[in-house]
Amino acid sequence: MSFRSSLSPYKLPSVMSFGRLGALLLVCLLAGCSKDYETAPVSGQVTLDGKPLANVGLTFVPLAKDKQSPNVGPGSLGKTDEEGRFTLQTVEGDKGAVPTEHVVRMELASSASGSDGGDPLANPDRSPNKVELPKSAKDGTLHFTVPAEGTDEADFALTSDSKKRSR
């Protein structure tokens, strides 16, 4: 035994440990994976200053109800269409979102049609360069509670920060 190996806190696991790990993994795979959360269908619309907002990515992050059950399920994602409408899907691919309170964040998504960022508003009169989401849409202050039965009214009527200042 060398001086170096006797002081090393790191030891390679034995072949037997790998065998046990493999057996455990096989048992888990044969037992099947079951999800331990429920989802509910969620859809809605995002508007900015009363106009539908297209190409907005939405992230719904579920909040834990208490410290005893911190993992309530996966987050959900959606993207608005030309009419500002969206439908959520969990990050694991299930339709909808976990029924609980969520922190909602939004970002303008890039358009697949070109490098100009696309037309984020359904209104062609507004230039995509002038569209900016209000701070509240990005900073996590928006919350939405998904009911157990789901909803098609997860609507967000945003007001641009410049309009708030001019009032």
Side-chain angles (χ1 to χ4, degrees):
M1 182 185 298
S2 73
F3 176 75
R4 182 179 213 169
S5 64
S6 66
L7 295 178
S8 175
Y10 305 105
K11 295 184 181 182
L12 291 176
S14 69
V15 174
M16 179 145 327
S17 294
F18 283 121
R20 288 183 189 148
L21 182 62
L24 181 61
L25 182 60
L26 182 60
V27 168
C28 289
L29 289 174
L30 292 176
C33 297
S34 64
K35 66 179 189 177
D36 56 350
Y37 61 89
E38 297 295 322
T39 59
V42 178
S43 61
Q45 185 179 34
V46 178
T47 58
L48 180 63
D49 301 329
K51 295 179 170 64
L53 190 57
N55 294 320
V56 172
L58 292 97
T59 305
F60 277 53
V61 179
L63 296 174
K65 295 175 186 171
D66 55 44
K67 290 182 180 180
Q68 282 68 35
S69 52
N71 187 8
V72 294
S76 296
L77 306 170
K79 183 179 174 188
T80 60
D81 62 15
E82 303 80 36
E83 297 170 358
R85 304 239 11 114
F86 68 91
T87 300
L88 293 181
Q89 177 176 326
T90 69
V91 295
E92 295 181 355
D94 298 316
K95 292 181 180 180
V98 176
T100 190
E101 183 180 3
H102 294 256
V103 172
V104 180
R105 288 189 174 91
M106 300 179 200
E107 288 291 328
L108 289 176
S110 62
S111 172
S113 63
S115 61
D116 64 350
D119 182 11
L121 285 176
N123 181 355
D125 298 335
R126 289 182 76 171
S127 166
N129 296 332
K130 293 184 181 180
V131 174
E132 186 175 326
L133 289 175
K135 182 181 175 188
S136 64
K138 301 182 276 185
D139 66 7
T141 57
L142 288 178
H143 285 229
F144 186 83
T145 300
V146 174
E149 66 277 5
T151 183
D152 60 358
E153 297 177 356
D155 299 333
F156 297 93
L158 306 174
T159 305
S160 57
D161 290 333
S162 61
K163 282 200 176 231
K164 288 180 186 175
R165 280 182 251 140
S166 65
R167 288 184 182 178

